[in-house]
PDB file of all heavy atoms in Angstrom:
ATOM      1  N   VAL A 457     -22.282  -6.213   3.814  1.00 92.00           N
ATOM      2  CA  VAL A 457     -22.070  -5.780   2.305  1.00 92.00           C
ATOM      3  C   VAL A 457     -21.953  -7.003   1.496  1.00 92.00           C
ATOM      4  O   VAL A 457     -22.660  -6.916   0.469  1.00 92.00           O
ATOM      5  CB  VAL A 457     -20.794  -4.942   2.216  1.00 92.00           C
ATOM      6  CG1 VAL A 457     -20.394  -4.654   0.887  1.00 92.00           C
ATOM      7  CG2 VAL A 457     -20.898  -3.599   3.074  1.00 92.00           C
ATOM      8  N   LEU A 458     -21.317  -7.968   1.921  1.00 94.00           N
ATOM      9  CA  LEU A 458     -21.034  -9.215   1.065  1.00 94.00           C
ATOM     10  C   LEU A 458     -22.279  -9.949   0.929  1.00 94.00           C
ATOM     11  O   LEU A 458     -22.617 -10.435  -0.232  1.00 94.00           O
ATOM     12  CB  LEU A 458     -19.895 -10.072   1.629  1.00 94.00           C
ATOM     13  CG  LEU A 458     -18.554  -9.444   1.529  1.00 94.00           C
ATOM     14  CD1 LEU A 458     -17.576 -10.140   2.327  1.00 94.00           C
ATOM     15  CD2 LEU A 458     -18.105  -9.264   0.040  1.00 94.00           C
ATOM     16  N   TYR A 459     -23.118 -10.022   1.948  1.00 93.00           N
ATOM     17  CA  TYR A 459     -24.391 -10.554   1.824  1.00 93.00           C
ATOM     18  C   TYR A 459     -25.342  -9.874   0.770  1.00 93.00           C
ATOM     19  O   TYR A 459     -25.927 -10.532   0.015  1.00 93.00           O
ATOM     20  CB  TYR A 459     -25.089 -10.777   3.245  1.00 93.00           C
ATOM     21  CG  TYR A 459     -26.546 -11.275   3.162  1.00 93.00           C
ATOM     22  CD1 TYR A 459     -26.670 -12.588   2.919  1.00 93.00           C
ATOM     23  CD2 TYR A 459     -27.672 -10.393   3.292  1.00 93.00           C
ATOM     24  CE1 TYR A 459     -27.979 -13.134   2.767  1.00 93.00           C
ATOM     25  CE2 TYR A 459     -28.909 -10.937   3.152  1.00 93.00           C
ATOM     26  CZ  TYR A 459     -29.020 -12.332   2.962  1.00 93.00           C
ATOM     27  OH  TYR A 459     -30.381 -12.716   2.844  1.00 93.00           O
ATOM     28  N   SER A 460     -25.448  -8.574   0.914  1.00 92.00           N
ATOM     29  CA  SER A 460     -26.231  -7.699   0.100  1.00 92.00           C
ATOM     30  C   SER A 460     -25.701  -7.999  -1.525  1.00 92.00           C
ATOM     31  O   SER A 460     -26.565  -7.867  -2.294  1.00 92.00           O
ATOM     32  CB  SER A 460     -26.292  -6.400   0.450  1.00 92.00           C
ATOM     33  OG  SER A 460     -25.114  -5.694  -0.015  1.00 92.00           O
ATOM     34  N   LEU A 461     -24.516  -8.205  -1.549  1.00 94.00           N
ATOM     35  CA  LEU A 461     -24.000  -8.316  -2.994  1.00 94.00           C
ATOM     36  C   LEU A 461     -24.249  -9.841  -3.496  1.00 94.00           C
ATOM     37  O   LEU A 461     -23.882 -10.138  -4.688  1.00 94.00           O
ATOM     38  CB  LEU A 461     -22.503  -8.121  -3.069  1.00 94.00           C
ATOM     39  CG  LEU A 461     -22.075  -6.649  -2.963  1.00 94.00           C
ATOM     40  CD1 LEU A 461     -20.630  -6.396  -2.769  1.00 94.00           C
ATOM     41  CD2 LEU A 461     -22.515  -5.927  -4.344  1.00 94.00           C
ATOM     42  N   GLY A 462     -24.669 -10.720  -2.699  1.00 94.00           N
ATOM     43  CA  GLY A 462     -24.891 -12.057  -3.118  1.00 94.00           C
ATOM     44  C   GLY A 462     -23.559 -12.876  -3.135  1.00 94.00           C
ATOM     45  O   GLY A 462     -23.439 -13.881  -3.893  1.00 94.00           O
ATOM     46  N   ILE A 463     -22.620 -12.380  -2.405  1.00 95.00           N
ATOM     47  CA  ILE A 463     -21.353 -13.068  -2.483  1.00 95.00           C
ATOM     48  C   ILE A 463     -21.156 -14.025  -1.270  1.00 95.00           C
ATOM     49  O   ILE A 463     -20.628 -15.186  -1.321  1.00 95.00           O
ATOM     50  CB  ILE A 463     -20.136 -12.050  -2.379  1.00 95.00           C
ATOM     51  CG1 ILE A 463     -20.086 -11.189  -3.673  1.00 95.00           C
ATOM     52  CG2 ILE A 463     -18.822 -12.804  -2.007  1.00 95.00           C
ATOM     53  CD1 ILE A 463     -19.237  -9.990  -3.582  1.00 95.00           C
ATOM     54  N   LEU A 464     -21.895 -13.724  -0.138  1.00 94.00           N
ATOM     55  CA  LEU A 464     -22.087 -14.680   0.997  1.00 94.00           C
ATOM     56  C   LEU A 464     -23.492 -14.928   1.093  1.00 94.00           C
ATOM     57  O   LEU A 464     -24.397 -14.144   0.771  1.00 94.00           O
ATOM     58  CB  LEU A 464     -21.583 -14.014   2.248  1.00 94.00           C
ATOM     59  CG  LEU A 464     -20.081 -13.710   2.374  1.00 94.00           C
ATOM     60  CD1 LEU A 464     -19.750 -13.013   3.695  1.00 94.00           C
ATOM     61  CD2 LEU A 464     -19.227 -14.974   2.174  1.00 94.00           C
ATOM     62  N   ASP A 465     -23.840 -16.223   1.581  1.00 93.00           N
ATOM     63  CA  ASP A 465     -25.238 -16.558   1.815  1.00 93.00           C
ATOM     64  C   ASP A 465     -25.640 -16.320   3.257  1.00 93.00           C
ATOM     65  O   ASP A 465     -24.846 -15.732   3.998  1.00 93.00           O
ATOM     66  CB  ASP A 465     -25.500 -17.960   1.365  1.00 93.00           C
ATOM     67  CG  ASP A 465     -24.633 -18.969   2.236  1.00 93.00           C
ATOM     68  OD1 ASP A 465     -24.234 -18.606   3.259  1.00 93.00           O
ATOM     69  OD2 ASP A 465     -24.542 -20.167   1.739  1.00 93.00           O
ATOM     70  N   GLU A 466     -26.896 -16.782   3.579  1.00 92.00           N
ATOM     71  CA  GLU A 466     -27.333 -16.501   4.972  1.00 92.00           C
ATOM     72  C   GLU A 466     -26.452 -17.067   6.033  1.00 92.00           C
ATOM     73  O   GLU A 466     -26.411 -16.528   7.211  1.00 92.00           O
ATOM     74  CB  GLU A 466     -28.762 -17.105   5.156  1.00 92.00           C
ATOM     75  CG  GLU A 466     -29.814 -16.502   4.373  1.00 92.00           C
ATOM     76  CD  GLU A 466     -30.052 -17.026   2.957  1.00 92.00           C
ATOM     77  OE1 GLU A 466     -29.069 -17.744   2.555  1.00 92.00           O
ATOM     78  OE2 GLU A 466     -30.923 -16.725   2.298  1.00 92.00           O
ATOM     79  N   ASP A 467     -25.793 -18.113   5.632  1.00 91.00           N
ATOM     80  CA  ASP A 467     -24.841 -18.734   6.687  1.00 91.00           C
ATOM     81  C   ASP A 467     -23.455 -18.196   6.564  1.00 91.00           C
ATOM     82  O   ASP A 467     -22.446 -18.724   7.205  1.00 91.00           O
ATOM     83  CB  ASP A 467     -24.744 -20.367   6.492  1.00 91.00           C
ATOM     84  CG  ASP A 467     -26.124 -20.957   6.480  1.00 91.00           C
ATOM     85  OD1 ASP A 467     -26.931 -20.471   7.381  1.00 91.00           O
ATOM     86  OD2 ASP A 467     -26.366 -21.822   5.677  1.00 91.00           O
ATOM     87  N   ALA A 468     -23.261 -16.994   5.897  1.00 91.00           N
ATOM     88  CA  ALA A 468     -21.989 -16.411   5.775  1.00 91.00           C
ATOM     89  C   ALA A 468     -20.981 -17.230   5.009  1.00 91.00           C
ATOM     90  O   ALA A 468     -19.804 -17.172   5.286  1.00 91.00           O
ATOM     91  CB  ALA A 468     -21.493 -15.907   6.896  1.00 91.00           C
ATOM     92  N   LYS A 469     -21.567 -18.218   4.053  1.00 93.00           N
ATOM     93  CA  LYS A 469     -20.615 -19.036   3.227  1.00 93.00           C
ATOM     94  C   LYS A 469     -20.560 -18.421   1.891  1.00 93.00           C
ATOM     95  O   LYS A 469     -21.505 -17.793   1.430  1.00 93.00           O
ATOM     96  CB  LYS A 469     -21.159 -20.439   3.178  1.00 93.00           C
ATOM     97  CG  LYS A 469     -21.155 -21.172   4.555  1.00 93.00           C
ATOM     98  CD  LYS A 469     -20.750 -22.558   4.220  1.00 93.00           C
ATOM     99  CE  LYS A 469     -20.619 -23.464   5.502  1.00 93.00           C
ATOM    100  NZ  LYS A 469     -20.250 -23.002   6.734  1.00 93.00           N
ATOM    101  N   LEU A 470     -19.495 -18.648   1.227  1.00 94.00           N
ATOM    102  CA  LEU A 470     -19.385 -18.004  -0.106  1.00 94.00           C
ATOM    103  C   LEU A 470     -20.373 -18.654  -0.963  1.00 94.00           C
ATOM    104  O   LEU A 470     -20.632 -19.915  -0.938  1.00 94.00           O
ATOM    105  CB  LEU A 470     -17.966 -18.383  -0.754  1.00 94.00           C
ATOM    106  CG  LEU A 470     -16.758 -17.579  -0.360  1.00 94.00           C
ATOM    107  CD1 LEU A 470     -15.532 -18.040  -1.027  1.00 94.00           C
ATOM    108  CD2 LEU A 470     -17.017 -16.125  -0.710  1.00 94.00           C
ATOM    109  N   THR A 471     -21.117 -17.934  -1.847  1.00 95.00           N
ATOM    110  CA  THR A 471     -22.198 -18.558  -2.644  1.00 95.00           C
ATOM    111  C   THR A 471     -21.477 -19.089  -3.856  1.00 95.00           C
ATOM    112  O   THR A 471     -20.286 -18.773  -4.191  1.00 95.00           O
ATOM    113  CB  THR A 471     -23.120 -17.375  -3.296  1.00 95.00           C
ATOM    114  OG1 THR A 471     -22.281 -16.327  -3.837  1.00 95.00           O
ATOM    115  CG2 THR A 471     -23.980 -16.913  -1.988  1.00 95.00           C
ATOM    116  N   SER A 472     -22.177 -20.062  -4.494  1.00 92.00           N
ATOM    117  CA  SER A 472     -21.606 -20.731  -5.661  1.00 92.00           C
ATOM    118  C   SER A 472     -22.609 -20.417  -6.849  1.00 92.00           C
ATOM    119  O   SER A 472     -23.730 -20.604  -6.703  1.00 92.00           O
ATOM    120  CB  SER A 472     -21.548 -22.210  -5.500  1.00 92.00           C
ATOM    121  OG  SER A 472     -20.859 -22.806  -6.391  1.00 92.00           O
ATOM    122  N   PRO A 473     -22.115 -19.979  -7.957  1.00 91.00           N
ATOM    123  CA  PRO A 473     -20.670 -19.808  -8.218  1.00 91.00           C
ATOM    124  C   PRO A 473     -20.193 -18.389  -7.965  1.00 91.00           C
ATOM    125  O   PRO A 473     -18.903 -18.131  -7.803  1.00 91.00           O
ATOM    126  CB  PRO A 473     -20.707 -19.893  -9.806  1.00 91.00           C
ATOM    127  CG  PRO A 473     -21.913 -19.427 -10.331  1.00 91.00           C
ATOM    128  CD  PRO A 473     -22.832 -19.642  -9.142  1.00 91.00           C
ATOM    129  N   THR A 474     -21.071 -17.362  -7.738  1.00 94.00           N
ATOM    130  CA  THR A 474     -20.710 -15.992  -7.607  1.00 94.00           C
ATOM    131  C   THR A 474     -19.619 -15.756  -6.532  1.00 94.00           C
ATOM    132  O   THR A 474     -18.453 -15.164  -6.841  1.00 94.00           O
ATOM    133  CB  THR A 474     -21.944 -15.039  -7.284  1.00 94.00           C
ATOM    134  OG1 THR A 474     -22.904 -15.319  -8.262  1.00 94.00           O
ATOM    135  CG2 THR A 474     -21.484 -13.542  -7.281  1.00 94.00           C
ATOM    136  N   GLY A 475     -19.844 -16.329  -5.313  1.00 95.00           N
ATOM    137  CA  GLY A 475     -18.838 -15.909  -4.338  1.00 95.00           C
ATOM    138  C   GLY A 475     -17.533 -16.449  -4.543  1.00 95.00           C
ATOM    139  O   GLY A 475     -16.487 -15.798  -4.390  1.00 95.00           O
ATOM    140  N   PHE A 476     -17.467 -17.703  -5.081  1.00 93.00           N
ATOM    141  CA  PHE A 476     -16.144 -18.428  -5.367  1.00 93.00           C
ATOM    142  C   PHE A 476     -15.432 -17.663  -6.503  1.00 93.00           C
ATOM    143  O   PHE A 476     -14.181 -17.430  -6.592  1.00 93.00           O
ATOM    144  CB  PHE A 476     -16.280 -19.838  -5.637  1.00 93.00           C
ATOM    145  CG  PHE A 476     -16.494 -20.623  -4.358  1.00 93.00           C
ATOM    146  CD1 PHE A 476     -17.813 -20.892  -4.012  1.00 93.00           C
ATOM    147  CD2 PHE A 476     -15.478 -21.094  -3.646  1.00 93.00           C
ATOM    148  CE1 PHE A 476     -17.960 -21.712  -2.807  1.00 93.00           C
ATOM    149  CE2 PHE A 476     -15.578 -21.647  -2.407  1.00 93.00           C
ATOM    150  CZ  PHE A 476     -16.985 -22.136  -2.133  1.00 93.00           C
ATOM    151  N   GLN A 477     -16.285 -17.252  -7.480  1.00 94.00           N
ATOM    152  CA  GLN A 477     -15.624 -16.378  -8.576  1.00 94.00           C
ATOM    153  C   GLN A 477     -15.108 -15.233  -8.179  1.00 94.00           C
ATOM    154  O   GLN A 477     -14.027 -14.717  -8.511  1.00 94.00           O
ATOM    155  CB  GLN A 477     -16.673 -16.262  -9.823  1.00 94.00           C
ATOM    156  CG  GLN A 477     -17.033 -17.600 -10.448  1.00 94.00           C
ATOM    157  CD  GLN A 477     -18.087 -17.438 -11.515  1.00 94.00           C
ATOM    158  OE1 GLN A 477     -18.916 -16.463 -11.390  1.00 94.00           O
ATOM    159  NE2 GLN A 477     -18.108 -18.325 -12.465  1.00 94.00           N
ATOM    160  N   VAL A 478     -15.848 -14.397  -7.321  1.00 94.00           N
ATOM    161  CA  VAL A 478     -15.340 -13.184  -6.763  1.00 94.00           C
ATOM    162  C   VAL A 478     -14.002 -13.409  -6.066  1.00 94.00           C
ATOM    163  O   VAL A 478     -13.167 -12.468  -6.310  1.00 94.00           O
ATOM    164  CB  VAL A 478     -16.458 -12.476  -5.746  1.00 94.00           C
ATOM    165  CG1 VAL A 478     -15.792 -11.465  -4.854  1.00 94.00           C
ATOM    166  CG2 VAL A 478     -17.604 -11.906  -6.590  1.00 94.00           C
ATOM    167  N   ALA A 479     -13.956 -14.358  -5.397  1.00 93.00           N
ATOM    168  CA  ALA A 479     -12.715 -14.613  -4.644  1.00 93.00           C
ATOM    169  C   ALA A 479     -11.533 -14.782  -5.529  1.00 93.00           C
ATOM    170  O   ALA A 479     -10.392 -14.600  -5.220  1.00 93.00           O
ATOM    171  CB  ALA A 479     -12.844 -15.820  -3.664  1.00 93.00           C
ATOM    172  N   GLU A 480     -11.799 -15.370  -6.733  1.00 92.00           N
ATOM    173  CA  GLU A 480     -10.759 -15.556  -7.843  1.00 92.00           C
ATOM    174  C   GLU A 480     -10.252 -14.333  -8.386  1.00 92.00           C
ATOM    175  O   GLU A 480      -9.069 -14.185  -8.894  1.00 92.00           O
ATOM    176  CB  GLU A 480     -11.231 -16.362  -8.882  1.00 92.00           C
ATOM    177  CG  GLU A 480     -11.464 -17.879  -8.530  1.00 92.00           C
ATOM    178  CD  GLU A 480     -10.239 -18.677  -8.526  1.00 92.00           C
ATOM    179  OE1 GLU A 480      -9.409 -18.581  -9.501  1.00 92.00           O
ATOM    180  OE2 GLU A 480     -10.012 -19.408  -7.536  1.00 92.00           O
ATOM    181  N   ILE A 481     -10.979 -13.216  -8.378  1.00 92.00           N
ATOM    182  CA  ILE A 481     -10.700 -12.016  -9.033  1.00 92.00           C
ATOM    183  C   ILE A 481      -9.986 -11.108  -7.973  1.00 92.00           C
ATOM    184  O   ILE A 481     -10.429 -10.741  -7.013  1.00 92.00           O
ATOM    185  CB  ILE A 481     -11.907 -11.311  -9.570  1.00 92.00           C
ATOM    186  CG1 ILE A 481     -12.653 -12.212 -10.480  1.00 92.00           C
ATOM    187  CG2 ILE A 481     -11.574  -9.917 -10.246  1.00 92.00           C
ATOM    188  CD1 ILE A 481     -13.936 -11.705 -10.986  1.00 92.00           C
ATOM    189  N   PRO A 482      -8.770 -10.600  -8.413  1.00 91.00           N
ATOM    190  CA  PRO A 482      -7.943  -9.883  -7.491  1.00 91.00           C
ATOM    191  C   PRO A 482      -8.325  -8.357  -7.510  1.00 91.00           C
ATOM    192  O   PRO A 482      -7.396  -7.500  -7.619  1.00 91.00           O
ATOM    193  CB  PRO A 482      -6.500 -10.108  -7.996  1.00 91.00           C
ATOM    194  CG  PRO A 482      -6.692 -10.290  -9.404  1.00 91.00           C
ATOM    195  CD  PRO A 482      -7.974 -10.989  -9.643  1.00 91.00           C
TER     196      PRO A 482
END
Side-chain angles (χ1 to χ4, degrees):
Chain A
V457 169
L458 292 169
Y459 174 72
S460 79
L461 286 165
I463 294 168
L464 295 180
D465 63 19
E466 291 87 346
D467 304 322
K469 294 219 179 329
L470 283 179
T471 55
S472 186
T474 305
F476 284 96
Q477 289 178 333
V478 163
E480 289 279 314
I481 303 175

